């Protein structure tokens, strides 16, 4: 997927049910960026022996901890890819506001001084703050069957929700900035769990 698109200065949301392949897609991106990638590993799912960096929060429900790490990532200018797993825990749907550091990252990631690709992983699009979903340059959506998710995606782009509902296992839909979409083949297995 990533070899087919230019992620520079873009933001990405990845959605899908547990076990559908979203963490594997994220790990593929992390491997591509190597030492310039960091994953905020909410559930400690990514290997600690990988070429990329991982941060496991002390409190996986603490937005302040995520904000601190996000500000450090933006200040350091070391990382080109920053993935936040289980992003809905910290950035729930409206009317909840985005944590300020995430709002800033979402606004400033395109600026050359930061040049960071933020990626937000979440099981369901209806659970993630709409400022992230609707401003994302790319959406990668694995199979979803929830009525509200299908309805929301159909409103985002005609037929998108119906397409996502009928996806084969590990396939996903890639949605671009114009909300055009295509079904993508599964990515090769990249993640090796710590467990």
């Amino acid at each position: 997927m990533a070899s087919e698109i230019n992620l520079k200065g873009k933001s990405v949301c990845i959605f899908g049910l547990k076990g559908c392949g979203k963490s594997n897609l994220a790990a593929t991106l992390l491997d591509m960026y190597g030492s310039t990638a960091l994953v905020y590993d909410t559930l400690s799912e990514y290997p600690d022996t990988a070429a990329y960096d991982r941060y496991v929060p002390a409190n996986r429900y603490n937005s302040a901890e995520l904000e601190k790490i996000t500000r450090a990532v933006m200040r350091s200018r070391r990382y080109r890819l920053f993935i936040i797993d289980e992003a809905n825990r910290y950035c729930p749907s409206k009317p909840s506001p985005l944590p300020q550091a995430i709002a800033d990252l979402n606004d400033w990631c395109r600026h050359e001084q930061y040049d960071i690709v933020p990626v937000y992983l979440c099981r369901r699009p209806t659970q993630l703050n709409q400022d992230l979903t609707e401003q994302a340059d790319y959406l990668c959506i694995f199979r979803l069957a929830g009525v509200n998710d299908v309805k929301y995606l159909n409103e985002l782009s005609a037929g998108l929700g119906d397409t996502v509902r009928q996806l084969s296992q590990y396939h996903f839909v890639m949605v671009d900035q114009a909300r055009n979409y295509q079904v993508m083949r599964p990515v090769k297995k990249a993640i090796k769990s710590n467990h």
Side-chain angles (χ1 to χ4, degrees), residues 92-140:
S93 62
K94 290 183 176 182
S96 297
L98 279 175
Q100 189 60 53
I102 300 300
D104 291 344
L105 175 65
N106 202 42
D107 290 341
W108 298 341
C109 69
R110 292 165 175 77
H111 293 230
E112 197 166 308
Q113 73 184 85
Y114 294 106
D115 189 23
I116 300 170
V117 177
V119 178
Y120 308 97
L121 267 73
C122 177
R123 290 184 186 170
R124 302 179 57 217
T126 55
Q127 294 178 331
L128 189 65
N129 191 286
Q130 291 83 348
D131 287 344
L132 300 179
T133 306
E134 294 172 9
Q135 293 176 33
D137 296 286
Y138 296 103
L139 305 175
C140 299

Side-chain angles (χ1 to χ4, degrees), residues 51 72 150 170 173 184:
V150 169
Y170 306 124
V173 171
M184 308 295 286

Side-chain angles (χ1 to χ4, degrees), residues 124 126 144-154 161 165:
R124 302 179 57 217
T126 55
L144 292 168
V147 173
N148 291 333
D149 292 316
V150 169
K151 180 180 178 213
Y152 174 77
L153 293 172
N154 278 335
R165 183 175 46 204

Side-chain angles (χ1 to χ4, degrees), residues 3 13 30-31 35 39 41 46-47 59 100 112 123-124 129 131-132 137 140 152 161-162 171 173-174 178 180 191:
S3 62
C13 292
L30 289 162
D31 286 339
S35 63
V39 59
D41 190 2
Y46 296 82
N59 181 340
Q100 189 60 53
E112 197 166 308
R123 290 184 186 170
R124 302 179 57 217
N129 191 286
D131 287 344
L132 300 179
D137 296 286
C140 299
Y152 174 77
D162 297 322
H171 287 74
V173 171
M174 178 78 158
N180 298 312
I191 195 165

